[in-house]
Amino acid sequence: MPDSRTSAHRDSLKGARIARGASPWLLPTVATAALSLVRARKSRRAAAIAVPTTALAAGMLWFFRDPEREIARGRVISPADGVVQSIMPWKDGRTRVAIFMSPLNVHVNRAPLAGTVTSVEHVPGGFVPAFNKESENNERVVWHFDTELGDIEMVQIAGAVARRIVPYIPQGTKVEQGDRIGLIRFGSRVDIYLPEGVEVAVEVGQATTAGVTRIDRD
């Protein structure tokens, strides 16, 4: 099982790429930090401001990292970095695996299987913390993929801070397993629904890595 510390270290070595959709948050922060550093040479007050602004810019760069991954083999792989929050049988026979993403995780989500995107639906809602049960009614983007296992549903759920979900691809796009499909800014959750008869390989509390951790069992 991937260890979150190992994943973070690996990501730091491959963190040159910045996630698409980060610009509205990242550019103003980096610009402010750069300006404060320039002014710090002439003013103690500016120097004092430069410390937190530079730290914030560094944090933003870390948060919006988008490392390359060696995609694992398996029928269904994790769409998100995070921790398995719950595994719940659904009324229609499917099993929902919910993955909680903290602000420390990579927030670029990946396709759990190869197939065709048949639907990308934005659903308005609230912004309670993603670990809260009431987050079921949060703003979200619902994906459907036509795959070799049939229809696979995946849901990106915004959290208390994550108020923007950025899909990368539209309906009708063909994807390979592990392709980048979207970004959720800051803490959030991703749910994937496994078809009836597909056994879950992960357990509650287990760390997952998008594109690497296998979700189903043979």
Side-chain angles (χ1 to χ4, degrees):
M1 294 185 293
D3 182 271
S4 58
R5 292 170 297 178
T6 302
S7 297
H9 177 66
R10 179 175 61 244
D11 292 346
S12 69
L13 298 177
K14 299 182 179 181
R17 177 169 177 161
I18 300 299
R20 289 168 51 196
S23 298
W25 287 80
L26 188 60
L27 292 182
T29 307
V30 172
T32 301
L35 181 61
S36 65
L37 286 171
V38 171
R39 292 180 174 177
R41 299 178 181 180
K42 301 178 181 180
S43 166
R44 289 186 178 181
R45 182 178 179 183
I49 295 174
V51 174
T53 56
T54 302
L56 180 59
M60 285 286 189
L61 286 168
W62 172 255
F63 174 82
F64 285 117
R65 69 198 186 280
D66 183 10
E68 297 295 335
R69 297 272 169 83
E70 183 175 344
I71 305 305
R73 295 183 179 181
R75 290 185 303 176
V76 186
I77 57 175
S78 177
D81 287 22
V83 175
V84 178
Q85 182 183 43
S86 65
I87 299 171
M88 182 179 297
W90 220 240
K91 295 179 180 179
D92 58 9
R94 297 179 299 167
T95 301
R96 187 189 71 184
V97 179
I99 301 171
F100 173 71
M101 304 165 65
S102 82
L104 298 178
N105 293 124
V106 173
H107 274 60
V108 175
N109 300 139
R110 293 174 178 263
L113 292 87
T116 301
V117 178
T118 56
S119 175
V120 184
E121 180 186 6
H122 173 261
V123 181
F127 295 99
V128 302
F131 54 80
N132 192 306
K133 185 176 181 181
E134 293 182 5
S135 63
E136 308 275 337
N137 299 316
N138 275 11
E139 180 168 336
R140 55 202 182 276
V141 172
V142 182
W143 296 76
H144 284 271
F145 301 88
D146 181 21
T147 75
E148 63 179 9
L149 293 180
D151 176 70
I152 296 292
E153 180 179 350
M154 189 191 94
V155 185
Q156 295 174 295
I157 303 174
V161 180
R163 305 223 170 191
R164 185 76 168 90
I165 301 172
V166 185
Y168 288 167
I169 56 178
Q171 178 180 336
T173 303
K174 292 184 178 181
V175 295
E176 296 297 326
Q177 191 174 45
D179 281 355
R180 296 172 175 87
I181 62 170
L183 168 74
I184 313 180
R185 295 177 184 157
F186 303 105
S188 43
R189 197 178 99 194
V190 174
D191 295 349
I192 181 169
Y193 293 80
L194 300 182
E196 185 175 8
V198 175
E199 186 178 354
V200 179
V202 293
E203 57 187 26
V204 174
Q206 179 177 334
T208 62
T209 302
V212 176
T213 305
R214 186 170 178 181
I215 296 297
D216 76 307
R217 192 189 311 279
D218 288 328

